Amino acid sequence: MQLDSKVPGGPLSEKWDKHLFDLKLVNPANKRKFEIIVVGTGLAGGSASATLAELGYNVKTFCIQDSPRRAHSIAAQGGINAAKNYSNDGDSVWRLFYDTVKGGDYRSREANVYRLAQVSNNIIDQCVAQGVPFAREYGGLLANRSFGGAQVSRTFYARGQTGQQLLIGAYSALSRQIAAGKVKMFTRRDMLDLVLVNGKARGIVTRNLVNGNIETHAADAVVLATGGYGNTFYLSTNAMASNVSAAYSAYKKGAFFANPCYTQIHPTCIPVHGTYQSKLTLMSESLRNDGRVWVPKNPGDKRLPSQISESERDYYLENKYPSFGNLVPRDVASRNAKLQCDQGKGVGETGLAVYLDFKDAIQRDGKDVIAKKYGNLFQMYEKITADNPYETPMMIYPAVHYTMGGLWVDYNLMSTIPGLFVLGEANFSDHGANRLGASALMQGLADGYFIIPYTIGGYLAGTKLEKVSTDDAGFKATAEDVEARIKKLLSIGGKRTVDDFHRQLGNIMWEYCGMARSAKGLTKAKDLIAELRAEFWENVLVSGSGNQFNQSLEKAGHVADFIEFGKLMVLDALARKESCGGHFNEDYQTEENEAKRDDESFCHVAAWEYAGDENEPNFQKEALNFENVTLTQRSYK
Amino acid sequence: MNWLLDIIESSIGKKLLMALTGLGFCVFLFGHLAGNLTIYGGKDAFNSYAEHLHSLGPILTVAEIGLLVFAMVHILSGIFLFWGNLKARPQRYVINKSAGGRTIGSRTMPYTGFLVLLFVIFHLMNFHFVDKTNTTIFQIVQNAFSDPIYVGIYVAAMLVVGIHVSHGFWSAFQTLGANHPKYMPLIKGLSICFSLIVGMGFGFLPIYFLFMS
Amino acid sequence: MTQSNGKKNINLTLKVWRQVGPNVKGRLETYQANNISTDMSFLEMLDVVNEELIINHRDPIAFDHDCREGICGMCGAVVNGRAHGPEKGTTLCQLHMRHFSDRDTVVIEPWRSRAFKIIKDLVVDRSALDVIIQAGGYISVSAGGTPDANVIPVPQEAAEKAMDAAACIGCGACVAACPNASAMLFVGAKVSHLALLPQGVPEAARRVLKMVQKMDECGFGNCTNETECEAVCPKEISITNIARLNREYIKAGFL
Ligand SMILES: Cc1cc2nc3c(=O)[nH]c(=O)nc-3n(C[C@H](O)[C@H](O)[C@H](O)COP(=O)(O)OP(=O)(O)OC[C@H]3O[C@@H](n4cnc5c(N)ncnc54)[C@H](O)[C@@H]3O)c2cc1C
Ligand code: HEM
Ligand code: FES
């Protein structure tokens, strides 16, 4: 199969308009004859469900949590970007586009990113109209801040709860459509498989998490908005229910998976405390605006921070990157923290942490100013660690945060399976090898409110869709596969719990496929994962039965997929013999330990096609052509 | 008038009735107390106040009927609310601790309310539905309060009324939507003051009589 | 509850409500939680207990959770009689074991309310809260065709107040803690959030009438201003929002 991105021709800035005109329209009266399944109610799925229903389609929406309002998007703190240029500091659609492509280390598709920047402004209008309480100036107009090292202030925010407020906006729009009968909402459902009929996506199989029933649902098209796969690492800032299973089941049914090795590791998270640790908590990146990162100069120095004098401290980011200092991009900050800890200079009980110190900022601006800016973050930190950041430096360490890779989609957000669309973090489309702060929320909402409503119409209007019903053989067979797997999981009756396996997988991934990778480590990881996989299917212990509320079983299915998927990540990392963005391969670095891209050989999207559980997947490239920006090496010195 | 019924039948509607009638009682209590304070002015002052009151004739009757209606509304909606609230949690907690919101007043509203009802009936039987020929109201009161048991009952009842309004007063404002961060502390303060004034104002009268006799 | 600085391990006796399904009788069962690090979160403590139960072929304790950072509203249980446990402004997932002492007995019960059926153990069905939002907790605008975001200025104070109310995570602790199992704080927060913004004003009256009607239908109790909801709310949402709800209701009903 040849990958066709379907990017329309013409100048960059006119592509989307032209494409909108070229897309076939569904007659308004006919829309109600189409059924669309949307899996996921995060920013992407929530906004897509609501908008499709507003247009007149019949939508069935699914989520794992007990309410669509709880999707993982709710946890986003910092903000959402848009090219409004309300701050009059020279922002534009073009600049947002350019920053995003550059930030992604030139591994994203130009046309998609440009479209994202174009619709970013509509998103803000939409959200304000829905009642999202963005921060405002005294004059009543919207406030902006600069975020993630951007040179312009283009980030809109609602305190430290931007994701929550945007999601509540999408959720309210969704609720309105549920009340209108246009969306049928299915909560506490775990999508376990995709159903194809004549090669097209026509339905899904879900497990009802309350009573364990295996259910099948048919539709004319399926939209996946199931979020990222950061939990492959066991510990991440993702919510506990975040999983790769839905996307992975689509992959197994023939959807290509793109760039699985691109993971973003966020530099400012609260360090791990012990083996019981279940997830990691992000501290907003904005802390680096005033906090200074340091470690003791002497390895193994276990004294209290207050006992370590200025001359014995190494402010390594400021020293190494004089012009950006503590504000270097996420990947650079993360990698350097690891480097220090690897040299034994890490602090805290585990030695896996660095200090983020506000002493100087407090001395300079006063405690009140700092409290105003970061009070709630300091409070949150103290709640978790029982340390008071006003008095003693915070301890931070990088953690897995976001996954840029995802199911491959074309310009219409359709995967390689006709009728299967993928939105939000679950697709790979816009962030290349590294995502800029405040851009994921933008992408999720762009996909849901302003892209899928049009492109899905083009598909439905231009495709012959035969009648299907859940009584068809295809549905029955898929449901049987799902049931067989559940039976298998329950019947193993081994000695190790699901979490135990997940933790071990996480260790392998973090060690060898985390912040710094190498051919040697990755090869080792491949073997370790294969061993783990074999043991899992012989020795896992899942409690309870299939026909009841059973969280152990739910997790087991997810972890089984994480293990498979871990292998795919490692393969992709091995194949990408360069360093770029979130993928840092030690074998490919400059003399100053910076990432070294290889644009000659790797300026492409790596797309993987499933070829059976026991076989290596097939590899396909989508070449990336940059017609509007010139590729440069990132430098933050 | 369907719309009115709809509103009144809702949970907030019932609460509104509760608040309006409750505040009505508060106004009544205030007036009643002001009148009763004439007792400290001596027999004649009190009797003339009573006479004055009765000379109002039909107005007094209207006021009495009004109070009765208020009482019915207050009691009925109270019963509905109480019943609804019992049903809303069929299975109770094994352990239930306050997180600091409740007060003695708020905890006991239905019970103090019920006690007040009993007291009001008792009170009316003592002083209202009595044969008033050949005697003055002052005498009736004096007689009653020469008995320490009566005094005990009245003082206790006033304590109960005080507790009831200590929550009821501010709660009525909240129910009517009058909660503003600037003024709420004042209203809550007033609530306490009002319950103290009512409780002590009424409560001292029987004691005063007891000592006078 | 003592605050213990410095890390240590403690042993606890847990009494956990176990109930197989909505229509089955439940009861408290006793478990030992040994060697619990005071740095653990409450849910991590439950994880540890569950791991042991699973290994011993016993049924693990079912409890809801997702973000584990106090924002999704999925977690929640009544701990020693208090919704979300003893700490103010804290969800159960953000409650840390350093707030407990060695040899404490900890009683853990699900949210209890007629409107929230127990699904299993500590897991309850809170869909009534969604149903209330569906009745009107939105501004009726469809995607596209909205004016520029800065066309309607919103006074900063109004935006901040709206945000205070919108911070609700829909966990249901207000209902759980209310002696009357009332959902007025939840509804008040949503009505306030939208009524405070000019964008929400056009359908304010319709919204409040429908939401209150739905709230009553769902079987929640009546607010008697006990203010327990405000005291346990992990986002410390104020009961001034309930007063605003009452105000909006009066306005909508009588004007
Ligand atoms: C702590 C944190 C802070 C962040 N801060 C920011 C920020 O400030 N700015 C920014 O732009 N981005 C931020 N991000 C990233 C951003 O929040 C996410 O990338 C984005 O919200 C993902 O949205 P989504 O709609 O694609 O998926 P999600 O919100 O993850 O939603 C996934 C949905 O799919 C459903 N689902 C998943 N699997 C299944 C299944 N098997 N069956 C059925 N349903 C399923 C879930 O129930 C859920 O409804 C942050 C991320 C984290 C972790
Ligand atoms: C002197 C007489 C009384 C006064 C001044 C009074 C005053 C009040 C007030 C102001 C309220 C608050 C309304 C609100 O919360 O919005 C109230 C509530 C209530 N009253 Fe009374 N009341 C009196 C008598 C009674 C009687 C006789 C009963 C019952 C038989 C009663 C039962 C209740 C109940 C059940 C409540 C509701 C509790 C609640 O909503 O918290 N009250 N009262
Ligand atoms: S798990 Fe999300 S709020 Fe506790």
Side-chain angles (χ1 to χ4, degrees), chain A residues 174-372:
Chain A
L174 174 62
S175 296
R176 175 170 157 244
Q177 295 306 317
I178 295 173
K182 291 305 289 179
V183 174
K184 214 165 160 320
M185 186 67 224
F186 297 84
T187 60
R188 294 204 196 260
R189 297 300 201 289
D190 193 3
M191 169 178 163
L192 296 179
D193 214 340
L194 179 74
V195 181
L196 304 193
V197 177
N198 294 336
K200 299 190 202 81
R202 296 304 299 270
I204 60 171
V205 178
T206 58
R207 180 164 179 274
N208 180 328
L209 296 175
V210 175
N211 57 22
N213 287 350
I214 301 298
E215 306 160 331
T216 48
H217 303 272
D220 296 294
V222 176
V223 177
L224 288 192
T226 49
Y229 49 83
N231 277 351
T232 314
F233 290 83
Y234 184 65
L235 288 182
S236 82
T237 61
N238 286 12
M240 304 297 284
S242 298
N243 66 88
V244 76
S245 294
Y248 198 73
S249 70
Y251 164 74
K252 278 168 100 168
K253 283 284 155 77
F256 285 22
F257 211 108
N259 301 331
C261 81
Y262 289 164
T263 40
Q264 181 167 77
I265 312 235
H266 197 289
T268 52
C269 300
I270 300 180
V272 176
H273 280 281
T275 49
Y276 52 80
Q277 184 107 21
S278 57
K279 80 154 283 201
L280 295 170
T281 304
L282 176 81
M283 299 300 295
S284 168
E285 186 154 41
S286 60
L287 289 171
R288 284 196 285 140
N289 289 337
D290 285 294
R292 298 180 68 197
V293 178
W294 64 273
V295 290
K297 274 190 181 148
N298 298 321
D301 189 341
K302 285 285 163 204
R303 287 174 299 167
L304 290 175
S306 54
Q307 295 164 342
I308 302 177
S309 68
E310 275 306 306
S311 61
E312 295 169 297
R313 300 177 175 193
D314 182 5
Y315 293 89
Y316 59 89
L317 286 179
E318 294 170 20
N319 296 337
K320 201 162 159 190
Y321 306 98
S323 65
F324 275 71
N326 294 299
L327 290 173
V328 290
R330 290 177 179 178
D331 52 338
V332 180
S334 295
R335 221 161 36 238
N336 279 284
K338 176 177 162 31
L339 228 56
Q340 300 299 325
C341 295
D342 286 349
Q343 294 166 18
K345 298 191 210 160
V347 298
E349 228 167 293
T350 55
L352 289 176
V354 299
Y355 288 126
L356 181 63
D357 200 335
F358 290 87
K359 198 179 78 205
D360 294 336
I362 291 171
Q363 247 160 35
R364 185 186 63 224
D365 300 338
K367 192 174 161 182
D368 289 348
V369 174
I370 296 300
K372 202 155 178 201

